[in-house]
Amino acid sequence: MTRRLAEVAKKVGVSEATVSRVLNGKPGVSDATREAVLTALDVLGYERPTQLRGDRGRLVGLVLPELQNPIFPAFAEVVGGALAQQGFTSVLCTRTVGGVSEADYVDLLLQQHVSGMVFAGGLYAQGDASHSHYERVLERKLPIVLVNAAVEHLGFPQVSCDDVAASEIALAHLLALGHTQVALLLGPPDHVPSQRKLAAFRAYARANGVELPADHVEHTMFSLEGGHAAAARMVRRGITGIICASDVLALGAIRAARRAGLSVPEDVSVIGYDDSALMNCTDPPLTTVRQPIDAMGRAAVELLVAQIDAAVVPGDELLFEPELVVRASTAPAPRKV
């Protein structure tokens, strides 16, 4: 106990007596100092006294798959800011290969008595993944919001970018430029947003008289290397237009085209998805489908706070319209010689 008092007092810059007053719920301590002491307890890994555990309810877990893709830090910034305006503090949890898993983070957040959780890019979007940790959250009736499409049986409120519209506006752009050899570069086969994009792509292509052979669709991991490997196979088949399910995949596709001695966009046009940071500074600047991250992040927080305030929030999906941002990675289809 004495060691705990000393460490917390040093962390906050107050006396041990002040820390003791906070832990014992005694008056005479300012609200700011009280919050600083309680936060220091959390940071140092000490358990709060039972009568003070409810105060940790102002924490909200934000669980992301990675931070290398610029879209996720951008989303974290929007959500963190919106939560702060509502008086909540976000706890950022990022999965790492061979490290802490999404299920582990859920257990840790439940132990911290968070008020709710926001997930983006999580295992809820993969049909073949384990979803038992989401079911544990359901049993606790903890407020949850998922960002972008999920498997159907979970039933959490969702905030999503319209995958159907995204596929249609990207394909319409390439068709307008005269491309007929168009391919789709997606995430893993069990990834629900990728499945939606593929279904919409096929329907729109069929309605416009464009063939979509099976080898014009590639599934890969969401990484630069995955995009490069899959796109390399596409350009060998004579593809002139590639629509990608993320900006990172699109950058891999551009690299694959160049390694094959081709030029983007003169020989191959490439479209990304997200409009993440610095895509207007790439070579060439990337044509991409923009997710309305600001609006989606604020909506996710509003849905979460409504649940925290005991409002009835149905497990529906709010769809947000994407926007095609045309830059220099797309051009008219090359003329046949």
Side-chain angles (χ1 to χ4, degrees):
M1 181 66 176
T2 302
R3 179 185 175 185
R4 179 176 65 169
L5 289 175
E7 288 187 10
V8 173
K10 182 179 179 180
K11 182 79 172 176
V12 181
V14 298
S15 68
E16 293 183 25
T18 298
V19 174
S20 179
R21 294 183 73 84
V22 172
L23 298 184
N24 290 293
K26 294 183 178 179
V29 181
S30 70
D31 290 341
T33 299
R34 182 173 177 275
E35 287 301 318
V37 169
L38 294 176
T39 299
L41 278 174
D42 297 338
V43 171
L44 293 170
Y46 289 123
E47 188 71 16
R48 293 191 185 193
T50 303
Q51 71 273 17
L52 298 177
R53 291 177 186 174
D55 291 356
R56 270 190 292 190
R58 305 308 289 180
L59 298 177
V60 170
L62 175 55
V63 186
L64 304 177
E66 57 166 318
L67 293 179
Q68 292 183 345
N69 186 334
I71 199 67
F72 291 118
F75 181 75
E77 184 176 4
V78 172
V79 171
L83 284 169
Q85 291 177 352
Q86 298 281 352
F88 292 90
T89 299
S90 59
V91 180
L92 182 60
C93 303
T94 306
R95 303 199 312 267
T96 56
V97 177
V100 181
S101 68
E102 188 176 83
D104 293 333
Y105 275 127
V106 167
D107 289 338
L108 289 171
L109 291 170
L110 289 174
Q111 291 172 16
Q112 293 299 315
H113 307 285
V114 295
S115 289
M117 302 181 200
V118 177
F119 290 84
L123 297 178
Y124 58 83
Q126 294 179 231
D128 295 339
S130 171
H131 301 128
S132 59
H133 52 295
Y134 298 114
E135 292 165 2
R136 291 200 298 275
V137 175
L138 275 172
E139 292 172 359
R140 298 279 190 96
K141 301 187 184 301
L142 189 72
I144 295 292
V145 177
L146 308 179
V147 178
N148 283 328
V151 295
E152 292 183 356
H153 70 273
L154 292 175
F156 293 118
Q158 295 167 236
V159 173
S160 301
C161 189
D162 191 332
D163 292 305
V164 173
S167 292
E168 291 179 350
I169 60 177
L171 182 52
H173 177 59
L174 290 183
L175 295 181
L177 292 172
H179 291 270
T180 56
Q181 297 299 308
V182 179
L184 194 59
L185 179 48
L186 299 168
D190 68 329
H191 184 242
V192 177
S194 292
Q195 293 173 352
R196 289 185 175 185
K197 288 182 176 70
L198 177 56
F201 188 89
R202 282 175 168 159
Y204 194 84
R206 190 183 311 115
N208 286 273
V210 177
E211 292 187 14
L212 184 63
D215 62 0
H216 283 210
V217 178
E218 288 277 355
H219 292 275
T220 187
M221 300 303 296
F222 282 104
S223 66
L224 185 71
E225 295 75 18
H228 182 175
R233 294 189 290 270
M234 291 177 171
V235 296
R236 287 197 294 268
R237 299 173 190 137
I239 298 298
T240 65
I242 303 176
I243 297 173
C244 304
S246 78
D247 290 339
V248 173
L249 289 177
L251 295 180
I254 291 173
R255 187 172 73 176
R258 286 178 171 164
R259 294 280 176 87
L262 301 175
S263 175
V264 176
E266 287 78 8
D267 299 312
V268 180
S269 288
V270 177
I271 299 179
Y273 181 79
D274 284 335
D275 194 28
S276 47
L278 305 181
M279 291 304 105
N280 61 333
C281 301
T282 58
D283 180 24
L286 184 67
T287 295
T288 187
V289 177
R290 176 182 293 161
Q291 288 199 74
I293 290 298
D294 286 350
M296 291 170 62
R298 289 194 300 270
V301 171
E302 289 175 5
L303 284 174
L304 188 76
V305 173
Q307 294 178 73
I308 293 171
D309 292 340
V312 177
V313 178
D316 295 333
E317 182 178 26
L318 299 183
L319 288 180
F320 286 74
E321 283 295 308
E323 175 187 0
L324 180 68
V325 181
V326 179
R327 298 193 181 104
S329 67
T330 52
R335 294 182 179 179
K336 296 182 179 179
V337 179

